[in-house]
Amino acid sequence: RDIGSIGLKTLVGVLTPQTAPAVLKRVTPKLQQGITMDAEVAHYCLEILNDLLKSFGTMMSRDLASIQSGILPMLSSPVAATRKRVSVCVASLAICAPDQLFVTLIGSIFNNIEASRNADQIRTYIQTIAGVSRSVGHRLGRELKRIIPLFMTFCEDEKYMEDVEMLENCLQAFESFVLRCRKEIGPHLDSIVTTSLKFIKHDPNYADEDDADEQMDEDEPEDEYSDDGDYSGDDDSSWKVRSAAIKCLGAVIRTRPEMLHNLYESVLPQLMARFREREEIVKMEVFTAFKDLLRQSQNGMDMVDAMEDVDPPTLNRGNSVLRLLDVDRVMKVVQKQLKEKSFKTKEKCLELLRELITVLNGGLTPYLNALIPDIEKSIDKSAKTSLKVEALTFLCCLLEKHPGADFTAHVKSFGPAVIASVSDSNYKISAVALRVCGRLTVSTVNGERLLKASDPFVANMFAAVFSRLSSQDQDLEVKEAAIVTIGSLWQ
């Protein structure tokens, strides 16, 4: 059976539009018979049938109705592996199904969800609808007015509050609707955002007495949600719900720029509160969503700047959004996260800070004294490569976006680490460190160069840069960065 399955899959993989009809004529009826046999054979047949539908579904128009009637009942199979394969197959079938057949398909699944009392089956039906949305979102859009209210009932039903898979599937479906049904999803966005905000705090096995809307006390030496807590994320899987909720919010943030003002008011404070997330995977999603929100702010400002004749309300829209951004609070939260042990958390903090600098076009001068020590630790020789690259990239951006800021005292602290990074064996670290050196050479304070020719640091920097320039086996990126930096030093 294994060999036969591999052979058929290989055959399907090399078929062309010219050779496919003859093979489809012989293979399709056999596959339809195979899915009614024992589970192992059915699984092989469903996988091959899925490959055929994805690649040659338009050539199978005569068989689509019989395939649909054959696989739909299998969504209620007691075998989870079977249900999963059927769900994937239905999503592929939806791509090539004629309109009438597609309506019948969605109607049948919808009716089965309403009638079913089995949680496993309901989860499978929800997963199938989400799969169909990812495949042909534009065709599913007209059914959202029936689907979303039903899915919301599962998210609000108390008996499903501890059903991680059910909640995760519903939120993943909402994310898919937001991304794939952009026109039809409009009336449902408020309820989706509200539901997602509810579940980004979903942690039934961990006490969370603070409301996310309350002002966090940043002066506390310890945070009750610190990663150093005794509770282990291995003990439960509720993090999957929080992760799905944050991804859903991220989809709304990336696709609905017209909601930016509302998102700043309702979503941004909640995301900042979730920086305290104890599960690192989820925390990474929080940082990504927050960064996306900042990026949308920048996109909105760019659009306004590009318009020649704009009315005052439009001109002030970007500024009004940015006024909702509490930079002090953001910096306190991020600075606290920069002190965490996780290098991934530190990397995400630095990525977020770069986005913040871009949006504010600088604006971090008051926080330099607090930031530089953490940057220095991140470019220390013991730091991981990816963290060191991100820290040096951030430092280069910091210098570029803060012309005139006095880095004199700070150069003495992070300067030696930067020079050491120039000589690093990793070309990425060396190239970025060279750019930092180049930026330092052109930085000014009160109209004068930040670095003086008599400064020993300049001599050390020149020696390190020249060593890179004179070496014959350098990466092109390193060589180019060294040339630019040497040119800046000689100006």
Side-chain angles (χ1 to χ4, degrees):
R1 289 176 177 179
D2 291 342
I3 295 174
S5 170
I6 293 171
L8 276 175
K9 287 182 178 179
T10 304
L11 175 63
V12 171
V14 298
L15 287 178
T16 65
Q18 290 73 34
T19 59
V23 175
L24 291 172
K25 185 176 180 179
R26 296 191 62 183
V27 172
T28 304
K30 297 292 185 181
L31 292 175
Q32 289 181 265
Q33 293 176 15
I35 63 176
T36 63
M37 300 173 70
D38 62 84
E40 184 180 8
V41 175
H43 293 172
Y44 289 139
C45 291
L46 285 167
E47 290 171 4
I48 297 168
L49 189 59
N50 179 58
D51 291 341
L52 287 174
L53 286 168
K54 286 195 295 185
S55 301
F56 306 104
T58 54
M59 298 182 182
M60 303 170 66
S61 55
R62 293 183 179 179
D63 300 305
L64 293 179
S66 59
I67 292 173
Q68 179 170 306
S69 62
I71 64 176
L72 275 181
M74 298 176 70
L75 284 172
S76 58
S77 168
V79 182
T82 300
R83 295 197 304 271
K84 182 177 181 179
R85 286 169 172 80
V86 174
S87 178
V88 173
C89 204
V90 168
S92 298
L93 175 65
I95 298 173
C96 51
D99 288 343
Q100 187 56 48
L101 192 62
F102 181 80
V103 171
T104 304
L105 171 69
I106 299 302
S108 175
I109 297 174
F110 188 83
N111 292 335
N112 288 337
I113 297 177
E114 289 186 313
S116 180
R117 295 294 178 266
N118 184 296
D120 288 335
Q121 292 179 9
I122 294 173
R123 287 194 290 266
T124 301
Y125 292 134
I126 294 172
Q127 200 170 36
T128 304
I129 291 290
V132 171
S133 171
R134 285 188 285 271
S135 297
V136 285
H138 61 285
R139 301 185 72 183
L140 189 65
R142 59 194 173 200
E143 303 294 335
L144 291 186
K145 59 181 178 294
R146 298 172 60 202
I147 295 172
I148 290 181
L150 179 61
F151 285 13
M152 285 293 179
T153 62
F154 298 126
C155 293
E156 296 167 359
D157 195 326
E158 287 296 326
K159 69 181 180 182
Y160 295 126
M161 283 300 104
E162 296 187 8
D163 189 334
V164 169
E165 192 175 348
M166 177 76 77
L167 297 174
E168 182 187 18
N169 286 354
C170 287
L171 290 163
Q172 287 176 343
F174 293 152
E175 179 191 4
S176 178
F177 299 154
V178 170
L179 293 173
R180 301 290 292 161
C181 312
R182 299 192 182 189
K183 180 179 178 182
E184 298 84 358
I185 197 66
H188 309 283
L189 284 172
D190 288 341
S191 59
I192 288 175
V193 169
T194 300
T195 300
S196 298
L197 288 174
K198 171 185 175 182
F199 285 111
I200 65 173
K201 300 177 288 184
H202 182 74
D203 204 351
N205 298 315
Y206 191 75
D208 186 353
E209 298 178 358
D210 290 345
D211 188 271
D213 290 329
E214 294 180 2
Q215 179 72 28
M216 292 185 295
D217 185 2
E218 301 296 344
D219 296 327
E220 291 281 339
E222 293 293 335
D223 194 308
E224 66 176 309
Y225 298 97
S226 171
D227 288 344
D228 296 331
D230 295 331
Y231 189 80
S232 170
D234 296 334
D235 296 332
D236 79 304
S237 57
S238 62
W239 64 268
K240 294 180 180 180
V241 177
R242 301 195 298 278
S243 177
I246 292 167
K247 287 180 179 178
C248 187
L249 287 173
V252 175
I253 290 169
R254 293 191 303 275
T255 59
R256 315 304 296 204
E258 73 277 8
M259 294 180 63
L260 190 58
H261 193 281
N262 292 336
L263 291 173
Y264 257 78
E265 288 185 327
S266 60
V267 175
L268 185 140
Q270 301 275 21
L271 289 177
M272 281 203 292
R274 295 316 304 169
F275 283 165
R276 304 172 295 177
E277 170 64 49
R278 61 185 177 82
E279 193 69 37
E280 188 172 64
I281 296 175
V282 184
K283 184 183 284 190
M284 298 302 101
E285 297 291 346
V286 173
F287 277 110
T288 299
F290 196 96
K291 190 171 69 172
D292 286 340
L293 190 55
L294 291 176
R295 184 170 295 147
Q296 283 287 40
S297 308
Q298 179 63 28
N299 292 341
M301 293 292 289
D302 290 343
M303 289 175 61
V304 171
D305 291 341
M307 298 170 66
E308 296 181 357
D309 299 318
V310 293
D311 55 311
T314 303
L315 190 61
N316 292 327
R317 187 182 305 156
N319 291 331
S320 67
V321 169
L322 289 180
R323 279 196 290 269
L324 297 173
L325 181 62
D326 188 343
V327 178
D328 283 338
R329 188 180 175 200
V330 172
M331 291 304 300
K332 286 179 181 178
V333 174
V334 172
Q335 286 167 22
K336 187 170 187 177
Q337 293 299 318
L338 275 171
K339 301 185 187 305
E340 293 286 339
K341 296 178 182 179
S342 168
F343 76 92
K344 289 183 179 179
T345 297
K346 293 179 181 179
E347 285 180 25
K348 286 294 184 180
C349 285
L350 293 170
E351 288 178 15
L352 191 152
L353 286 173
R354 275 201 291 128
E355 201 68 44
L356 184 62
I357 289 175
T358 303
V359 171
L360 299 176
N361 195 27
L364 298 192
T365 303
Y367 311 100
L368 291 180
N369 290 333
L371 279 176
I372 295 300
D374 293 320
I375 303 303
E376 185 182 352
K377 291 177 183 177
S378 297
I379 58 178
D380 185 78
K381 62 181 180 180
S382 61
K384 287 188 175 289
T385 297
S386 56
L387 176 59
K388 194 178 292 188
V389 170
E390 188 59 48
L392 288 166
T393 304
F394 169 72
L395 186 56
C396 191
C397 181
L398 192 68
L399 290 164
E400 178 186 359
K401 294 292 185 179
H402 295 81
D406 191 356
F407 285 89
T408 305
H410 304 307
V411 170
K412 295 178 181 179
S413 60
F414 68 70
V418 172
I419 292 177
S421 297
V422 169
S423 304
D424 197 284
S425 58
N426 185 294
Y427 80 94
K428 291 184 179 179
I429 293 176
S430 179
V432 183
L434 284 165
R435 294 192 190 100
V436 173
C437 290
R439 184 55 57 183
L440 283 170
T441 60
V442 298
S443 295
T444 59
V445 179
N446 299 323
E448 298 183 359
R449 285 288 186 95
L450 174 65
L451 301 179
K452 308 296 183 183
S454 58
D455 194 330
F457 174 77
V458 174
N460 294 335
M461 182 169 65
F462 180 84
V465 175
F466 190 77
S467 174
R468 278 300 193 184
L469 185 63
S470 58
S471 179
Q472 299 300 313
D473 58 347
Q474 296 298 328
D475 182 89
L476 180 61
E477 185 178 355
V478 175
K479 183 74 78 174
E480 290 177 348
I483 292 171
V484 172
T485 304
I486 284 289
S488 301
L489 281 166
W490 283 344
Q491 284 181 358

